[in-house]
Amino acid sequence: MTESQDLLLHYRRQRGWTRDLVEAVPDEHFDWAPAADAFSCGGLVRHLIQAEIFWRRLLAMAVDGEAYDPFRLEGDRDERMRSFRQPNLRSSGSLKLGSTFAECLASWEPIQAATEELIEGLTSEQLSEVGVRHPLTGLEASLREFLLVMFEHEAHHRGQLSAYLKTLGVEQPTTLWS
């Protein structure tokens, strides 16, 4: 198995767990959020879709030797992250990606397919030698590490959604190691 195939397998496993969790959420909780300044359940799912589009573009452009910064925020890392918070929350409210969990999952499918195509086409040399810089956090690392960070971002928000569901009393699927 090549390194890109191994990463692709990891990505698919993570996505399967995320999809299983999202499918367990009743649509009545789509707009529920624990606080006014937090993602709603549906907003979390839309955020993950939007983030994947960003991550894939960031990584693909790095392979092409280009930087990607759609945010163009000034300041140090903390200032950029603070400036990003409210627009990020607002964009997660866009209905473009769906207004139900099923619609969001359906809109995510072609995005996932494009991400899988990118991962599958990466060489070991690209994974270790291509450098990437995140425009908000300033993190600089190899393409391999950034793929893992992308996977961790999804796992982080899957955990957030899981905590929301515990608060709401929604039974969750057994996701890990299935």
Side-chain angles (χ1 to χ4, degrees):
M1 178 177 291
T2 67
E3 189 172 9
S4 63
Q5 290 170 330
D6 190 46
L7 287 164
L8 182 60
L9 178 64
H10 183 70
Y11 167 80
R12 286 176 174 158
R13 187 176 300 123
Q14 291 287 326
R15 181 52 48 79
W17 295 336
T18 300
R19 289 185 70 88
D20 287 349
L21 184 63
V22 171
E23 288 170 350
V25 187
D27 278 331
E28 68 195 58
H29 299 305
F30 193 85
D31 293 320
W32 182 87
D37 64 344
F39 287 117
S40 67
C41 292
L44 266 174
V45 176
R46 289 189 293 235
H47 169 71
L48 283 169
I49 298 168
Q50 293 167 332
E52 183 164 342
I53 294 166
F54 160 77
W55 284 106
R56 188 179 62 248
R57 183 79 184 261
L58 176 72
L59 302 177
M61 289 186 73
V63 168
D64 292 339
E66 300 176 40
Y68 180 58
D69 183 1
F71 315 114
R72 296 185 176 30
L73 297 173
E74 298 295 323
D76 66 22
R77 179 185 69 100
D78 292 335
E79 292 166 332
R80 289 190 305 270
M81 292 301 289
R82 277 192 299 274
S83 295
F84 181 67
R85 176 114 176 106
Q86 286 307 312
N88 190 28
L89 281 171
R90 277 193 306 276
S91 73
S92 74
S94 169
L95 301 179
K96 182 172 77 171
L97 296 170
S99 60
T100 67
F101 293 109
E103 288 174 3
C104 287
L105 289 171
S107 70
W108 209 349
E109 289 174 5
I111 294 161
Q112 178 177 343
T115 301
E116 289 182 4
E117 185 178 333
L118 171 71
I119 295 170
E120 196 167 32
L122 296 172
T123 66
S124 292
E125 292 77 22
Q126 289 170 321
L127 288 166
S128 62
E129 296 172 14
V130 170
V132 183
R133 183 179 188 282
H134 193 285
L136 292 175
T137 67
L139 174 66
E140 294 182 21
S142 70
L143 184 59
R144 173 190 301 106
E145 186 172 348
F146 261 88
L147 276 169
L148 295 174
V149 170
M150 180 180 87
F151 304 158
E152 290 165 6
H153 175 262
E154 182 168 326
H156 162 78
H157 286 299
R158 186 173 58 244
Q160 187 177 6
L161 182 59
S162 175
Y164 284 14
L165 298 184
K166 287 182 190 323
T167 299
L168 292 167
V170 174
E171 187 173 332
Q172 299 176 52
T174 304
T175 56
L176 295 179
W177 302 288
S178 57

